[in-house]
Amino acid sequence: TPVVLISTVNEDSSYNLAPMSSVFWLGWRCMLGLGARSKTPQNMLRTGECVLNLPSVEQVAGVNRLARTTGSNPVPAGKQQKGYRHEADKFGISGFTPVPSETVAAPRVLECPVQLEAVVEGTHYLAEDDPKQHGGIVCIEVRIQRVHLEESILMEGDPNRVDPDKWRPLMM
């Protein structure tokens, strides 16, 4: 599955950036599977928006620097057990550059060849009948509002299509 860096806006107007890979697209809609207690889905549900930034293989080092970091403070117990640490400046530690979006408040990641500005359209919690999982997993449906593509990955003669031979998306 492709790696997605989801950028959102925190309560204090700072930015959050989180890698994930439980995602699929159907037309202009996208489904994201996230741990409901994490900062990213909390921000998305509070603000109703995000940016889905799709890194290429060239951004793997920055994505890896985000591994085991969380915007949640204090770090939830489950994440502490997995070795996560709180990091307020996700853009800073990753080395990625935030740039303004056109339709949402969350920033885009300059270095990512594909950036998708999105708004939340629906939510569905999974495993609600399981006491151990209740409230822990959320699927968030987003609608893509604006697409930004790096020119170097576009198909020659068709500026609205990505050339799969030119883009090497980062895969999980």
Side-chain angles (χ1 to χ4, degrees), residues 64-81:
N64 285 341
R65 286 190 290 272
L66 290 169
R68 297 205 179 154
T69 65
T70 179
S72 297
N73 189 16
V75 177
K79 285 192 171 187
Q80 281 182 2
Q81 293 172 350

Side-chain angles (χ1 to χ4, degrees), residues 116-137:
L116 309 169
E117 298 179 24
V119 294
V120 173
E121 290 291 342
T123 59
H124 179 79
Y125 286 84
L126 297 182
E128 288 295 280
D129 61 334
D130 181 344
K132 292 181 182 179
Q133 296 290 328
H134 181 83
I137 304 168

Side-chain angles (χ1 to χ4, degrees), residues 135-151:
I137 304 168
V138 63
C139 290
I140 302 177
E141 175 191 355
V142 298
R143 179 174 37 86
I144 306 304
Q145 301 231 116
R146 184 71 40 91
V147 175
H148 303 270
L149 300 172
E150 188 176 278
E151 284 189 31

Side-chain angles (χ1 to χ4, degrees), residues 45-160:
L45 296 175
R46 181 179 43 75
T47 65
E49 62 183 38
C50 67
V51 177
L52 308 177
N53 302 278
L54 282 68
S56 70
V57 294
E58 286 80 26
Q59 285 83 46
V60 69
V63 172
N64 285 341
R65 286 190 290 272
L66 290 169
R68 297 205 179 154
T69 65
T70 179
S72 297
N73 189 16
V75 177
K79 285 192 171 187
Q80 281 182 2
Q81 293 172 350
K82 294 175 185 170
Y84 279 72
R85 71 184 193 286
H86 169 70
E87 181 58 58
D89 184 8
K90 299 278 202 81
F91 275 91
I93 65 150
S94 67
F96 292 130
T97 309
V99 294
S101 295
E102 296 176 6
T103 68
V104 298
R108 297 179 289 132
V109 175
L110 176 68
E111 293 79 5
C112 289
V114 177
Q115 306 149 3
L116 309 169
E117 298 179 24
V119 294
V120 173
E121 290 291 342
T123 59
H124 179 79
Y125 286 84
L126 297 182
E128 288 295 280
D129 61 334
D130 181 344
K132 292 181 182 179
Q133 296 290 328
H134 181 83
I137 304 168
V138 63
C139 290
I140 302 177
E141 175 191 355
V142 298
R143 179 174 37 86
I144 306 304
Q145 301 231 116
R146 184 71 40 91
V147 175
H148 303 270
L149 300 172
E150 188 176 278
E151 284 189 31
S152 67
I153 66 170
L154 295 178
M155 193 170 282
E156 199 166 316
D158 193 342
N160 294 317

Side-chain angles (χ1 to χ4, degrees), residues 3-19:
V3 172
V4 177
L5 294 175
I6 304 177
S7 50
T8 58
V9 177
N10 295 316
E11 296 90 341
D12 65 0
S13 298
S14 64
Y15 301 137
N16 190 51
L17 186 63

